[in-house]
Amino acid sequence: MNTEAPAEKAPAPSTISQFFDTGSRTSVAKDPAAKERKIPTKVEPKVFFSNERTFLSWLNMAVTLSTISLAVIAFADTNKMSQIYGVMLLPVAIAFICYALYTYMRRAIMIRNKEPGPYEDRRGPVILACMLAVAIVINFIVKVVEVMS
């Protein structure tokens, strides 16, 4: 005969945020009404370097875009459409620079304050990619119309 008491089941999470909790807080007791205490988290130097490396990667792409933009503007002497395309790429490059700086600063503050996250950004890269795609598609359409006429 089994004399052991049945094991207690863990209480179901009442909200989605509790379900996906990163574990940075632990409760004092198993009672859900118990106060939670924060456990200090250690931030390794590689986290700061990773943030800087990501920032430099975004800046590298922005410098590449701005170089292409300025080269198109410089070498399109008489063709106004090429100059317009070069001018269209410049705000996209500036948007890349602004996004890189904003993301770097936001993450640096979060790391310095030892916030648990999330550190990723799902909307920013999609918006930048759409901006770049629109600029390229407009250039393609303009070139096709120019060749057809």
Side-chain angles (χ1 to χ4, degrees):
M1 195 180 241
N2 191 0
T3 58
E4 294 179 17
E8 289 185 27
K9 292 184 179 178
S14 61
T15 63
I16 293 176
S17 63
Q18 288 176 342
F19 184 76
F20 290 108
D21 193 15
T22 60
S24 61
R25 297 181 220 149
T26 59
S27 61
V28 178
K30 296 214 181 228
D31 183 22
K35 290 185 177 180
E36 292 184 355
R37 63 185 171 100
K38 291 189 177 189
I39 297 174
T41 56
K42 181 180 177 185
V43 178
E44 297 181 12
K46 68 180 181 179
V47 177
F48 292 103
F49 296 140
S50 174
N51 189 27
E52 289 178 11
R53 203 170 40 247
T54 305
F55 175 65
L56 292 175
S57 295
W58 279 104
L59 284 184
N60 185 17
M61 186 63 193
V63 167
T64 302
L65 281 174
S66 62
T67 302
I68 292 170
S69 172
L70 293 175
V72 167
I73 292 170
F75 292 118
D77 292 333
T78 59
N79 192 350
K80 292 291 182 191
M81 287 303 189
S82 294
Q83 288 180 344
I84 291 172
Y85 177 64
V87 170
M88 279 179 47
L89 269 182
L90 206 53
V92 175
I94 292 170
F96 270 71
I97 292 170
C98 292
Y99 172 76
L101 183 62
Y102 167 75
T103 305
Y104 172 74
M105 296 301 291
R106 184 177 61 89
R107 287 179 184 164
I109 291 169
M110 290 175 71
I111 292 168
R112 199 174 309 118
N113 294 337
K114 298 180 182 177
E115 293 179 20
Y119 289 94
E120 73 272 0
D121 182 14
R122 296 175 188 253
R123 285 180 243 130
V126 173
I127 292 170
L128 291 174
C130 288
M131 287 175 63
L132 185 58
V134 165
I136 292 171
V137 166
I138 289 174
N139 178 45
F140 179 73
I141 291 171
V142 167
K143 289 294 181 181
V144 168
V145 168
E146 186 179 309
V147 168
M148 298 293 262
S149 60

